[in-house]
Amino acid sequence: MNLSRLAIAFAVLSLLGFGGGKAIIPQMHTDVVDNFHWISSAEFTRFYALGKLAPGPTTTMAGLVGYAVDGMMGAVVATVAIFLPAGVLVRLAGIAWGRFDGHPWRDRISGSLKPVVLGLIWAGVVTLARGATDAPPTALLALVAAFILLRTNWNQSLLVLCAGAIGAAMFR
């Protein structure tokens, strides 16, 4: 495996992460599963679930993908590549954004970006659902989890943990 290809793939994803890490999930799936065939769709979904359970951003799953590709060095390369470019870009954009404080177009830009971000997040949900619901029992479990998530104030990590335990018990 070429570590530079891994670094470039995740650096590009980092810069595309407009709206947060969840916004790049569909493209990450396309890259690591469909284009490069580094992992399967089921592995991608498992790595996503682990990323949700771990403290911090969901994009920590990049380290898991990197580890699957090329061990510890792959994990380090993927993790640095997913966080460093976006971190630098956000810092520079924050400095520039602060200089335009009080301009009327600043609020208009912020308001117009909200639907874009929401659409990107829902695209991620659809992508993950395709990899996670490979049988009727998993589809039912996903629907129940979604219902609970939308109707209660349960912690998402607790919900993922419970669904994982139920899934493990169902598929022994």
Side-chain angles (χ1 to χ4, degrees):
M1 172 64 217
N2 189 350
L3 288 175
S4 61
R5 180 173 287 237
L6 185 68
I8 291 168
F10 281 106
V12 169
L13 287 169
S14 175
L15 295 173
L16 294 176
F18 180 78
K22 290 180 185 172
I24 61 171
I25 295 299
Q27 186 60 48
M28 185 186 297
H29 183 276
T30 298
D31 288 349
V32 304
V33 174
D34 301 330
N35 294 346
F36 299 120
H37 308 287
W38 289 333
I39 60 173
S40 70
S41 188
E43 287 173 312
F44 184 87
T45 302
R46 284 194 295 272
F47 290 169
Y48 177 81
L50 287 171
K52 288 297 290 177
L53 286 173
T58 306
T59 49
T60 55
M61 71 177 281
L64 296 170
V65 173
Y67 188 82
V69 169
D70 199 13
M72 188 56 73
M73 192 58 161
V76 170
V77 167
T79 301
V80 169
I82 199 73
F83 290 113
L84 185 63
V88 170
L89 183 64
V90 166
R91 177 69 179 139
L92 295 174
I95 292 169
W97 192 251
R99 289 185 180 155
F100 294 107
D101 192 27
H103 288 279
W105 56 265
R106 188 174 139 166
D107 290 336
R108 286 189 213 124
I109 289 174
S110 294
S112 65
L113 294 177
K114 290 176 186 176
V116 173
V117 172
L118 184 61
L120 290 170
I121 290 171
W122 274 106
V125 169
V126 170
T127 300
L128 289 170
R130 275 190 251 133
T133 56
D134 56 354
T138 58
L140 178 63
L141 187 58
L143 287 173
V144 169
F147 179 80
I148 291 170
L149 183 62
L150 293 171
R151 297 287 183 186
T152 69
N153 289 327
W154 271 33
N155 181 299
Q156 294 174 5
S157 297
L158 180 61
L159 186 61
V160 168
L161 186 61
C162 290
I166 292 168
M170 286 172 48
F171 294 110
R172 274 199 173 165

